[in-house]
Amino acid sequence: MNSGKLRRQTMGVCYYPEHWPEERWETDASMMVEAGISHVRIGEFAWSLMEPEPGQYDWGWLDRAFETLASHGLKIVLGTPTATPPKWLVDQMPDMLPVGKNGQVRGFGSRRHYCFSHLGYREECARITRALAERYGKHPSLAAWQTDNEYGCHDTTYSYSEAAEAGFRRWLEARYGSIDALNEAWGNVFWSMIYRNFDEIELPGQAVTQTSPAHQLDFRRYSSDQVVAFNKVQSDIIRAHSPGRGISHNFMGKYTDFDHYAVSADLDIATWDAYPLGFLEREIGDEALIKQYTGVGDPDFDAFHHDLYRTCGQMRNGTDNGRWWIMEQQPPGPLNWGTYNSEPLPGAGRLWVWEAFAAGAEVVCYFRWRQPAFAQEQMHEGLLLPNGEPNQGYHLCGQISKELDSIQATPAADHADVALVFDYESQWMLDIQKTGQDVSHLDTVLRTYRALRRAGVSVDIIPPKKESIVGRKMVLLPMAMVLADDFVDALEASEALIVAGPWTGAKDQNFAIAEDLPPGPLRRLIDIQVRRIETRRPYLPFPLSDGGSFAGWREHLILGEGVEVIETQSDGAPAVLHTGNVLYHAGRGDDVAQDRFIRRALTLAGVPWFDLPQDVRIRDNGKLRYIFNYSKKTVDMSAILPDADVAMGSMELAACDVTAVHLK
Ligand code: GAL
């Protein structure tokens, strides 16, 4: 049920009333209203205050926080506090702590100190969640829930604990039925790895060198399933006690250790935490990009996640109109966790928020209300300064709220003509068995996504599922390595342009090279065979005859009947192949090649595209088209979009500016 969907996009904030004297709460609540904030997330780290002694709850402070916020008409998003189990609980069951790959126990004193496989801890989480849901689940001001906080953050999806080992063995038994089947699937005849029973199997943490890639893949699948199961325990309890309130979780950027589509199947709202400058510094890590986009952020990285998590928001209700939010948005000020922490350029903070609204976010919540003067995050800006006075973010929040009033945009996002597959298993596979150091599925998908964005096209990121390609004009599958039969059937029946390669359909679900060679089952659609792949360092690209090159990865193929070579590599090897409604790219294009590939594909698929100035991006949503200027200079868009009917801003966009125009 898609309950509680909002009709107008709106602002929110993350608030920690427990960090401030109660006398201040009234002031905070009225200042929030003044800044146009409607939603306030609270509670997600407060277990040791909710239950200071085992079994003794103290709800007084939380009741009063609820009442203060409610009396100002604010809507509350309540977090379950399970990312921060109290010390007494850890002391009661020390084996709930996560264990690192090196066998070292990861201790108390920060957060996320639990192992997803520990069933005793899961029961404790069920208990505190039930207590919270019974007390606050029907509160009239409660709008939504957040389960836990950032599953997997600080590298916590994988735990090498005893609980994980026991759980893994039972999971394998259920998956394979017999040890012979497992030995066969993992290829255990290799290096004499044959097991006699499931209890002989260890976690793939401490072997001398690589364990079987299928063993590692199954450990990732198992660990991902534990996150799903852990989350489901909480979602089920909340759903039973808190009807009509959306259940959410806040995902992260560039985090792929568990299958987010699968976790989202138990959520009503997918949310994520967007920190553009932190990502640029720490997650993207490309010196050239850092140099180019310091202060504004990567024009495509956050946008990619908006499009990914919007799809996650559809996993439960199955509509094209999934609910998604930004649960934590970087304020227009420096963070504490980048390698370096620069301030945003003027306008950048506004640009980020509008990019999310343009992608259909219902709510954009700032992290956080007030910068604390104490503890780990004291150097992280908030909307207020540590002394409680407004900082820039406070004023910006008020400005955006007024703009939202005037523009009246709806949270819905359209079903895009173009869908790009991102698949967690393919990500794990290329991570487990690297043939080229910097090659990953995510990186390859991002390169493709960037080229689509540079062409001004709106995109949905989708899982490799048949339901997800219905009604598309173009489906792209770079490095989507395992393709289920029913998905290939759907691709075959689809009228969309299918853009495959490199390395699409390359493996089977046991991580073996596809029967009769890659692209495996896709050979039903295009009669080619990949006979060799080659990877090289970034400074040794593979040049292409028409300009640009393959970066880091290329394939050598042989072609069957009816396959046309439409581009070659400089040494004459085929680069781009075509047959019917299928294009195949035999490598990872650099930006020059990728732009050419994508624009050719869009033209073939009949999807309109734009020749945009550098660092300008466009997004369509409902009746509005948004234009974003991620560059540091003014751009005039009136020649590219003549006769535009401007809804917000101007056709001459200053650096970091955003404009919205009515779509005809
Ligand atoms: C997020 C986390 C928040 C806070 C924030 C700081 O990863 O969910 O609790 O730590 O980062 O940027």
Side-chain angles (χ1 to χ4, degrees), residues 417-418 457-458 473-474 599 601-610:
D417 286 339
V418 176
V457 176
S458 302
K473 289 192 179 157
M474 179 164 154
R599 287 162 198 220
L602 290 166
T603 306
L604 265 175
V607 177
W609 54 272
F610 296 92

Side-chain angles (χ1 to χ4, degrees), residues 6 44 102 119 229 371 375 487 489 514 537 613 645:
L6 304 183
E44 83 278 11
N102 54 7
L119 300 180
Q371 180 177 353
F487 182 55
D489 292 344
R537 288 165 191 275
D645 175 8

Side-chain angles (χ1 to χ4, degrees), residues 281-517:
E281 269 290 341
R282 212 176 70 174
E283 308 299 350
I284 300 168
D286 176 315
E287 291 285 327
L289 289 180
I290 292 177
K291 229 169 162 175
Q292 192 174 351
Y293 296 117
T294 289
V296 59
D298 182 313
D300 306 313
F301 184 87
D302 290 65
F304 170 83
H305 290 84
H306 300 338
D307 292 333
L308 169 67
Y309 294 130
R310 186 179 58 246
T311 297
C312 285
Q314 299 163 4
M315 290 293 126
R316 180 173 158 80
N317 61 46
T319 72
D320 280 345
N321 236 335
R323 301 183 64 187
W324 80 275
W325 300 10
I326 299 284
M327 193 60 94
E328 298 180 12
Q329 173 68 57
Q330 172 169 358
L335 304 173
N336 65 326
W337 54 264
T339 323
Y340 293 90
N341 295 285
S342 64
E343 66 171 6
L345 292 173
R350 175 168 169 269
L351 182 76
W352 302 334
V353 173
W354 275 108
E355 180 81 68
F357 282 133
E362 282 185 4
V363 184
V364 175
C365 283
Y366 274 117
F367 187 88
R368 52 185 279 158
W369 175 243
R370 178 169 166 184
Q371 180 177 353
F374 53 90
Q376 283 92 325
E377 292 180 347
Q378 55 182 271
M379 298 307 292
H380 190 301
E381 270 199 18
L383 301 192
L384 305 191
L385 288 155
N387 68 359
E389 287 171 19
N391 203 345
Q392 279 170 23
Y394 180 77
H395 302 295
L396 177 61
C397 184
Q399 180 193 338
I400 297 174
S401 301
K402 292 205 180 84
E403 290 173 341
L404 280 167
D405 278 338
S406 74
I407 205 170
Q408 288 295 328
T410 49
D414 298 332
H415 183 93
D417 286 339
V418 176
L420 171 59
V421 169
F422 177 71
D423 170 44
Y424 288 91
E425 290 215 348
S426 300
Q427 173 69 8
W428 302 337
M429 286 181 162
L430 273 158
D431 209 23
I432 289 167
Q433 197 163 61
K434 284 196 176 301
T435 35
Q437 170 146 305
D438 59 343
V439 179
S440 79
H441 174 60
L442 178 61
D443 181 64
T444 307
V445 171
L446 263 172
R447 284 165 184 262
T448 310
Y449 180 79
R450 290 175 186 285
L452 289 162
R453 288 261 296 173
R454 288 194 292 267
V457 176
S458 302
V459 183
D460 285 339
I461 306 299
I462 58 163
K465 293 265 160 60
K466 63 176 199 275
E467 314 77 70
S468 303
I469 65 166
V470 176
R472 309 288 182 182
K473 289 192 179 157
M474 179 164 154
V475 179
L476 301 104
L477 316 138
M479 289 188 175
M481 290 165 65
V482 186
L483 305 178
D485 284 344
D486 64 340
F487 182 55
V488 180
D489 292 344
L491 290 171
E492 201 172 10
S494 167
E495 284 174 13
L497 179 75
I498 310 299
V499 183
W503 220 219
T504 307
K507 301 277 167 127
D508 71 13
Q509 58 156 354
N510 294 328
F511 211 147
I513 294 171
E515 209 180 330
D516 213 12
L517 303 184

